[in-house]
Amino acid sequence: MAAVPKYTLLPLSDSQLKGGGDDSLFKGSGMTKRGAIAALSYMACAVLLVMFNKAALSSYSFPCANVITLFQMVCSSSILYAMRRWGIITFTIGEPWMVPDKSSPSLVPLTTLLQTLPLSLTYLLYMVASMESVRGVNVPMYTTLRRTTVVFTITVEYLLTGQKYPPSVFSSVLLIVFGAFLAGARDMSYDSYGYAIVLVSNISTAIYLATIARLGKSSGLNSFGLMWCNGLVCGPVLLVWTYFRGDLEITMNFPDLYSPGFQGVMLLSCIMAFFLNYCIFLNTTLNSALTQTMCGNLKDLLTVGLGWMIFGGLPFDMLNVVGQCLGFLGSGLYAYSKLKGR
């Protein structure tokens, strides 16, 4: 079997990216340069995706969050299928690059597909819960509550892999959680359903990221292969779910369905979802599930600012501002510990 070239159009996996000697961000750093690029790319994609999803669900009042998730899966799977068939990408680690695939329609063995089933199911829960949580809570409070995901991530990583972290990490986590509760103390738009969905989203995110870190390195699939398996398993399930719930019929009767503005937002949402999922896989395998979660916290600074200016929903309150700042400080402390290799 031919070896994968050192340089390809897109980085595929942690093993390919980490090859080639010491690639530390700087001497003594616990993060590589490519890991830092993956983290920054994730944060940029995540901010844009939240804005596009919020615009579709709130500005256009689109009632079917699951349909957006379905469109994103169909778009991602179509892009992956075309790129693999044309030999632009590969799905497995060590597979010859630039060789068009003419094998079975699934492009991956059935045994591999079954092996990634837990990852696909947690991905489906993660996608549905994340999409629904954007609707019920204003953007600033959404990002604040989502920062508590770090607690669930640490817990799940310990239960699944026995991963332990130093006191500096726990200190930053406590600061983030305290800031989140402080920021939400005076949220007058409190919605118990919205808050509950965000909590479910946090739990599912933690399980999903920990599953990537565990199965992603043992399945033999690279980032694109894992994304492809997720689409094969979750797409049909979500299609049946939206059909029986009547979401597809509601979508066909949606007044702004053929509006250029709405279609543009949906298209950008699908494209950003593809790049976001790719960056999540890279960041989680290159760094860790906890680093991925912390990157989500750091990108919230821009998300909160844009959400406040574009969508509103939360009046200015000093307690909220202090809580937000504490959360960002905690994320910064974690990033500092990571960069120093502590």
Side-chain angles (χ1 to χ4, degrees), residues 103-180:
S103 58
S104 64
S106 67
L107 303 181
V108 294
L110 179 60
T111 53
T112 303
L113 192 63
L114 293 176
Q115 184 181 357
T116 60
L117 191 60
L119 175 63
S120 300
L121 295 178
T122 56
Y123 171 74
L124 180 61
L125 178 61
Y126 156 74
M127 287 289 287
V128 172
S130 297
M131 185 64 66
E132 186 65 27
S133 63
V134 174
R135 179 204 304 277
V137 182
N138 56 66
V139 173
M141 281 312 305
Y142 167 80
T143 54
T144 299
L145 294 172
R146 286 286 283 164
R147 284 203 293 273
T148 61
T149 303
V150 63
V151 177
F152 300 102
T153 303
I154 288 179
T155 303
V156 171
E157 277 197 313
Y158 177 76
L159 293 176
L160 291 181
T161 64
Q163 176 70 50
K164 297 180 180 180
Y165 292 96
S168 59
V169 170
F170 280 103
S171 299
S172 62
V173 168
L174 291 176
L175 193 57
I176 290 171
V177 174
F178 177 71

